[in-house]
């Protein structure tokens, strides 16, 4: 059974930083896709960053490029999202998700089969 548990959310002032963590367990594949998604009230769920676990590729949505960094620690089975220079527009509930490897990774939520419970990020001006 796959379980994903996010942590690290909170409330910060604009310009501040947060690091989100997602601890994964029960995933049998050494190569798969993991991503961070976010959803704000009244807005569509969007992909934020994706990383190829067991690969080398990463992807970021345009609005966070240069500010967010996705990374992994295989020894700890943990996915991270380092968020710097936070803006009020980043306020949302953030979810980590995992998908099977089919030759590449994408940031389409419907293709991710396992999800964490989410962690709230609130950025005040």
């Amino acid at each position: 059974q796959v379980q994903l548990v996010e942590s690290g959310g909170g409330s910060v002032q604009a310009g501040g930083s947060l690091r989100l963590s997602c601890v994964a367990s029960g995933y049998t594949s050494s190569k798969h896709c993991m991503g961070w998604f976010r959803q704000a009230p009244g807005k569509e769920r969007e992909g934020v960053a994706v990383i190829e676990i067991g690969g080398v590729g990463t992807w970021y949505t345009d609005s966070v490029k240069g500010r967010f960094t996705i990374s992994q620690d295989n020894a700890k089975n943990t996915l991270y999202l380092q968020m710097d220079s936070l803006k009020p527009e980043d306020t949302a509930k953030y979810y980590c998700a995992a998908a099977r490897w089919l030759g590449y990774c994408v940031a389409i939520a419907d293709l991710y089969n396992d999800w964490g419970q989410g962690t709230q990020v609130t950025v005040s001006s």
Side-chain angles (χ1 to χ4, degrees), residues 15-39:
S17 298
L18 286 172
R19 188 181 73 163
L20 306 184
S21 300
C22 175
V23 179
S25 63
Y27 220 92
T28 60
S29 177
S30 61
K31 190 171 185 178
H32 55 278
C33 307
M34 294 196 73
W36 289 97
F37 295 79
R38 66 186 181 187
Q39 187 164 26

Side-chain angles (χ1 to χ4, degrees), residues 7-20 83 85-88 90-94 119-125:
S7 63
S11 298
V12 297
Q13 288 272 297
S17 298
L18 286 172
R19 188 181 73 163
L20 306 184
M83 304 185 294
S85 301
L86 282 162
K87 303 176 180 179
D90 297 317
T91 295
K93 193 167 187 178
Y94 285 70
T119 185
Q120 179 67 38
V121 171
T122 301
V123 185
S124 59
S125 60

Side-chain angles (χ1 to χ4, degrees), residues 49-64:
V50 172
I51 188 168
E52 298 176 358
I53 304 300
V56 296
T58 59
W59 172 91
Y60 300 90
T61 192
D62 287 344
S63 64
V64 308

Side-chain angles (χ1 to χ4, degrees), residues 50-86:
V50 172
I51 188 168
E52 298 176 358
I53 304 300
V56 296
T58 59
W59 172 91
Y60 300 90
T61 192
D62 287 344
S63 64
V64 308
K65 287 180 179 177
R67 300 189 297 119
F68 290 12
T69 304
I70 188 170
S71 62
Q72 62 177 99
D73 185 334
N74 287 332
K76 296 182 178 180
N77 298 313
T78 302
L79 178 74
Y80 300 100
L81 184 67
Q82 177 66 43
M83 304 185 294
D84 297 320
S85 301
L86 282 162

